[in-house]
Tab-separated table of all heavy atoms in Angstrom:
chain	number	residue	atom	x	y	z
A	74	ALA	N	20.841	2.397	-25.003
A	74	ALA	CA	20.728	2.196	-23.573
A	74	ALA	C	21.661	1.100	-23.049
A	74	ALA	O	22.303	1.214	-22.020
A	74	ALA	CB	19.272	1.893	-23.173
A	75	ALA	N	21.775	0.020	-23.876
A	75	ALA	CA	22.603	-1.110	-23.476
A	75	ALA	C	24.077	-0.719	-23.404
A	75	ALA	O	24.797	-1.133	-22.466
A	75	ALA	CB	22.415	-2.262	-24.452
A	76	ILE	N	24.525	0.098	-24.351
A	76	ILE	CA	25.935	0.506	-24.315
A	76	ILE	C	26.207	1.310	-23.054
A	76	ILE	O	27.235	1.087	-22.366
A	76	ILE	CB	26.233	1.331	-25.592
A	76	ILE	CG1	26.183	0.430	-26.805
A	76	ILE	CG2	27.648	1.987	-25.478
A	76	ILE	CD1	26.253	1.211	-28.130
A	77	ILE	N	25.357	2.272	-22.735
A	77	ILE	CA	25.569	3.105	-21.573
A	77	ILE	C	25.525	2.306	-20.268
A	77	ILE	O	26.356	2.453	-19.382
A	77	ILE	CB	24.566	4.265	-21.564
A	77	ILE	CG1	24.781	5.191	-22.748
A	77	ILE	CG2	24.619	5.057	-20.246
A	77	ILE	CD1	23.752	6.264	-22.925
A	78	VAL	N	24.501	1.424	-20.147
A	78	VAL	CA	24.360	0.626	-18.929
A	78	VAL	C	25.518	-0.372	-18.781
A	78	VAL	O	25.968	-0.655	-17.667
A	78	VAL	CB	23.009	-0.114	-18.937
A	78	VAL	CG1	22.900	-1.038	-17.742
A	78	VAL	CG2	21.880	0.913	-18.887
A	79	THR	N	26.011	-0.910	-19.923
A	79	THR	CA	27.145	-1.814	-19.850
A	79	THR	C	28.352	-1.133	-19.262
A	79	THR	O	29.069	-1.653	-18.384
A	79	THR	CB	27.485	-2.373	-21.266
A	79	THR	OG1	26.385	-3.108	-21.764
A	79	THR	CG2	28.696	-3.280	-21.190
A	80	VAL	N	28.647	0.093	-19.725
A	80	VAL	CA	29.777	0.873	-19.226
A	80	VAL	C	29.630	1.120	-17.755
A	80	VAL	O	30.554	1.094	-16.964
A	80	VAL	CB	29.895	2.194	-20.007
A	80	VAL	CG1	30.957	3.106	-19.356
A	80	VAL	CG2	30.239	1.919	-21.459
A	81	MET	N	28.372	1.393	-17.327
A	81	MET	CA	28.096	1.654	-15.891
A	81	MET	C	28.233	0.387	-15.062
A	81	MET	O	28.704	0.420	-13.914
A	81	MET	CB	26.695	2.235	-15.772
A	81	MET	CG	26.245	2.481	-14.331
A	81	MET	SD	24.503	2.974	-14.321
A	81	MET	CE	24.314	3.307	-12.564
A	82	LEU	N	27.759	-0.744	-15.611
A	82	LEU	CA	27.683	-1.987	-14.831
A	82	LEU	C	29.056	-2.645	-14.595
A	82	LEU	O	29.182	-3.338	-13.616
A	82	LEU	CB	26.761	-2.983	-15.563
A	82	LEU	CG	25.347	-3.117	-15.034
A	82	LEU	CD1	24.583	-4.142	-15.860
A	82	LEU	CD2	25.337	-3.535	-13.579
A	83	ILE	N	29.992	-2.412	-15.462
A	83	ILE	CA	31.292	-3.102	-15.265
A	83	ILE	C	31.872	-2.744	-13.914
A	83	ILE	O	32.165	-3.661	-13.122
A	83	ILE	CB	32.247	-2.790	-16.457
A	83	ILE	CG1	31.721	-3.449	-17.730
A	83	ILE	CG2	33.672	-3.272	-16.129
A	83	ILE	CD1	32.491	-3.073	-18.963
A	84	PRO	N	32.121	-1.486	-13.593
A	84	PRO	CA	32.694	-1.182	-12.262
A	84	PRO	C	31.727	-1.511	-11.135
A	84	PRO	O	32.132	-1.955	-10.039
A	84	PRO	CB	32.975	0.328	-12.297
A	84	PRO	CG	32.101	0.897	-13.379
A	84	PRO	CD	31.967	-0.207	-14.386
A	85	GLN	N	30.405	-1.299	-11.363
A	85	GLN	CA	29.425	-1.568	-10.314
A	85	GLN	C	29.408	-3.059	-9.929
A	85	GLN	O	29.443	-3.447	-8.792
A	85	GLN	CB	28.039	-1.163	-10.756
A	85	GLN	CG	27.595	0.175	-10.267
A	85	GLN	CD	26.105	0.396	-10.373
A	85	GLN	OE1	25.370	-0.504	-10.782
A	85	GLN	NE2	25.667	1.593	-10.013
A	86	SER	N	29.374	-3.926	-10.943
A	86	SER	CA	29.288	-5.358	-10.689
A	86	SER	C	30.511	-5.874	-9.990
A	86	SER	O	30.442	-6.689	-9.054
A	86	SER	CB	29.023	-6.134	-11.969
A	86	SER	OG	30.089	-5.884	-12.890
A	87	LEU	N	31.690	-5.374	-10.372
A	87	LEU	CA	32.902	-5.744	-9.687
A	87	LEU	C	32.912	-5.291	-8.213
A	87	LEU	O	33.266	-6.061	-7.313
A	87	LEU	CB	34.127	-5.119	-10.399
A	87	LEU	CG	34.393	-5.561	-11.834
A	87	LEU	CD1	35.499	-4.700	-12.425
A	87	LEU	CD2	34.737	-7.023	-11.902
Side-chain angles (χ1 to χ4, degrees):
I76 292 171
I77 294 174
V78 174
T79 299
V80 172
M81 177 187 184
L82 259 180
I83 291 173
Q85 262 197 4
S86 58
L87 297 172

